[in-house]
Amino acid sequence: MNSDQLQREREMRVRTVPVAIGAALLLVVAAITGLAGPHTKVDEETLALIVVHKRFPLDLIGAVINAGGLAALAFVLNFLWNATKSRRPELSPAFRYMALAGAAIAGLAAIAYEAVIAVAAHDFITTGQQTYSQAHSLTSTPTVLALPSIAFFGDLLMAIAIVTISLNAMRVGLLPKLMGYLGIFVGVLFLFPIGSPVPVIQAGWILALAYLFYGRWPNAYPPAWASGEPMPWPSAQRTRGQAPAPARGARGKPRPAPAPEPVAAPVSGSTRATTPKRKRKRRH
């Protein structure tokens, strides 16, 4: 990679920082919006439609905010894919399109679902006798049933893109190993959210990307960003400058260090064995 390309990549990296911060904040705000307002504690279709009717503005706003967060995340992944592709030409462009298409499909399908289910809830409240059969009929239309599956398919594309791009960026040295492995975990959480309903880990990983793109990182900044060449992150042993492990014997046990050879004590010059006979006679 020549200097002009590195300069353009550096400029683009700085522009990606506020987009990454926005992606993290939007995803968190969307989840908090979904937690606000009334919720039903019973999984029953008639009550669910009544609560949906009350929550319609919040749910639609949350879906729009979430779509904005997904679009910003797709922008970040697209930049990271471009940087990885320049150092690893064999990286398939399919993963780039997965990120872009997944964000669009998941975001738009969620917005469409909130609009469709809100219309069904409005019909349930304003017409009919609000019976279970009416609620079941309104929530069993092909559109209502298909939109969540379409949104899940978009999430699946996003999860695959996050895992693959993180793994390849780590292999060429653009991401430290901790960030690479965490990105793989974030991709899994993106598809199967566990723990907190607020995407704290996902947002933390995206904010860490923003910090990395800004040109800061604790201890050492990945040299692959400056060189334009693949430079895998060094192992922990090389980073700490540790000596290699001691040699092992045939059974895998460390060989004991050789015992130091005993040093003979200096012989005193005044012993009886070394005293001349004349001096011994004088002593008598």
Side-chain angles (χ1 to χ4, degrees), residues 6-183:
L6 281 175
Q7 179 62 28
R8 287 193 296 269
E9 184 180 277
R10 191 177 301 112
E11 294 174 356
M12 191 63 190
R13 189 169 72 238
V14 174
R15 295 173 186 173
T16 309
V17 171
V19 180
I21 297 175
L25 294 179
L26 288 175
L27 292 176
V28 170
V29 171
I32 295 175
T33 303
L35 295 176
H39 290 273
T40 178
K41 297 181 180 180
V42 181
D43 187 11
E44 204 274 326
E45 291 182 349
T46 57
L47 292 177
L49 286 177
I50 295 174
V51 173
V52 166
H53 182 70
K54 295 179 180 179
R55 290 184 47 82
F56 167 66
L58 279 176
D59 288 337
L60 185 60
I61 292 172
V64 172
I65 295 174
N66 185 70
L70 293 177
L73 177 57
F75 183 90
V76 174
L77 292 174
N78 181 64
F79 166 72
L80 189 57
W81 179 91
N82 281 321
T84 306
K85 176 71 172 179
S86 64
R87 295 160 177 82
R88 191 180 177 87
E90 63 270 23
L91 180 62
S92 173
F95 302 110
R96 172 189 190 180
Y97 299 132
M98 282 184 180
L100 299 175
I105 292 173
L108 295 177
I111 294 175
Y113 175 79
E114 295 301 338
V116 170
I117 198 66
V119 172
H122 178 75
D123 292 342
F124 179 76
I125 295 296
T126 57
T127 62
Q129 311 227 340
Q130 299 181 4
T131 61
Y132 172 80
S133 59
Q134 181 189 8
H136 181 73
S137 176
L138 290 171
T139 57
S140 299
T141 62
T143 304
V144 173
L145 295 177
L147 284 173
S149 299
I150 295 174
F152 181 81
F153 177 71
D155 290 338
L156 175 62
L157 294 179
M158 285 289 290
I160 295 174
I162 292 172
V163 170
T164 307
I165 294 175
S166 298
L167 179 62
N168 283 274
M170 179 181 65
R171 286 176 176 174
V172 299
L174 292 177
L175 294 182
K177 289 187 176 181
L178 175 61
M179 284 292 294
Y181 291 130
L182 185 58

Side-chain angles (χ1 to χ4, degrees), residues 200-260:
V200 177
I201 298 177
Q202 297 90 316
W205 180 72
I206 300 172
L207 290 176
L209 283 180
Y211 188 70
L212 182 70
F213 294 159
Y214 188 66
R216 304 290 182 86
W217 194 253
N219 299 328
Y221 193 72
W225 288 105
S227 67
E229 302 294 333
M231 299 180 67
W233 196 254
S235 62
Q237 180 177 339
R238 289 179 55 190
T239 303
R240 295 192 299 265
Q242 292 179 348
R248 295 181 175 270
R251 297 185 178 180
K253 297 181 179 180
R255 294 177 180 174

